[in-house]
Amino acid sequence: KQEVTQIPAALSVPEGENLVLNCSFTDSAIYNLQWFRQDPGKGLTSLLLIQSSQREQTSGRLNASLDKSSGRSTLYIAASQPGDSATYLCAVQGGSEKLVFGKGTKLTVNP
Amino acid sequence: GAVVSQHPSRVICKSGTSVKIECRSLDFQATTMFWYRQFPKQSLMLMATSNEGSKATYEQGVEKDKFLINHASLTLSTLTVTSAHPEDSSFYICSALRVDGYTFGSGTRLTVV
């Protein structure tokens, strides 16, 4: 059974700092991995999708890496801003279409 | 980009009543939609997979007679919480899969009093 773990559970940083969020999964036989952002009481916004054959994806100040063999992914946020404050969720898709989510990392960027 | 519209965003209902949540794909056809539940400070847990024109597939531990799912068209899936109880209070989110990944609705906060 696939399990996804995100560390840390919460993170508070000053504005402008670069930061890394971590995601690990137990079964390396994944189809893809996706990072989402969730604001309080809201749905999920897709940030980056990494296919199993890829090692990283970039979008603006965000960079996600994938090391499938070791079951790890990182989300790098450059020059963090208060508007980046949210919960960041990592999810993996296995052979079926189902997504398995981690519990998320709650990020607070202080002005 | 792909948009999934979910309504209502919030609902308060009395214990014992039923509540229907709608999920619509606005600019694409979704043969498969997914329904998740999220408790405070917990991850999203898949409840069921909704397939257009056929019966939904429920995850282990999810009561299919309590959480009725209908996917009658390629753009609409509904989740009905029947005979709701306070323990059903939660955040429900739908999702659809496209070639560029999953897209999610904005969620429904259900409070059963």
Side-chain angles (χ1 to χ4, degrees), chain A residues 4-82:
Chain A
V4 179
T5 303
Q6 290 187 248
I7 296 173
L11 181 63
S12 181
V13 301
E15 182 177 3
E17 190 163 300
N18 302 326
L19 59 100
V20 175
L21 306 181
N22 296 291
C23 172
S24 62
F25 45 96
T26 55
D27 186 350
S28 61
I30 64 169
Y31 185 66
N32 60 46
L33 181 146
Q34 199 163 358
W35 282 93
F36 296 91
R37 168 186 173 138
Q38 185 177 29
D39 293 288
K42 303 294 184 182
L44 275 63
T45 300
S46 178
L47 298 174
L48 290 165
L49 169 70
I50 310 177
Q51 300 291 350
S52 62
S53 58
Q54 299 174 322
R55 293 196 62 86
E56 67 175 343
Q57 283 286 336
T58 299
S59 176
R61 293 182 293 109
L62 305 179
N63 175 276
S65 69
L66 173 63
D67 184 344
K68 197 174 77 165
S69 60
S70 67
R72 295 180 182 179
S73 176
T74 61
L75 178 66
Y76 175 83
I77 302 177
S80 58
Q81 303 171 357

Side-chain angles (χ1 to χ4, degrees), chain B:
Chain B
V3 176
V4 172
S5 177
Q6 185 173 345
H7 294 282
S9 58
R10 294 176 182 271
V11 58
I12 301 174
C13 71
K14 292 184 178 180
S15 185
T17 62
S18 296
V19 174
K20 180 184 284 188
I21 302 170
E22 291 189 350
C23 184
R24 294 180 183 272
S25 57
L26 297 184
D27 58 356
F28 67 102
Q29 293 183 331
T31 55
T32 303
M33 288 189 176
F34 305 88
W35 287 95
Y36 294 84
R37 179 168 54 186
Q38 185 180 35
F39 291 107
K41 298 185 179 180
Q42 296 296 315
S43 182
L44 277 73
M45 297 300 296
L46 180 65
M47 299 175 64
T49 302
S50 166
N51 302 296
E52 187 268 336
S54 64
K55 292 183 178 180
T57 302
Y58 291 81
E59 295 301 298
Q60 189 174 10
V62 178
E63 300 175 57
K64 62 180 181 181
D65 294 331
K66 181 170 185 61
F67 298 99
L68 301 179
I69 291 175
N70 184 281
H71 195 158
S73 77
L74 289 172
T75 59
L76 175 64
S77 177
T78 61
L79 168 67
T80 301
V81 183
T82 63
S83 186
H85 292 284
E87 56 265 30
D88 297 325
S89 298
S90 187
F91 192 61
Y92 294 85
I93 310 178
C94 65
S95 172
L97 175 62
R98 277 173 45 107
V99 292
D100 56 351
Y102 290 85
T103 184
F104 284 78
S106 55
T108 298
R109 171 69 61 190
L110 171 63
T111 303
V112 184
V113 298

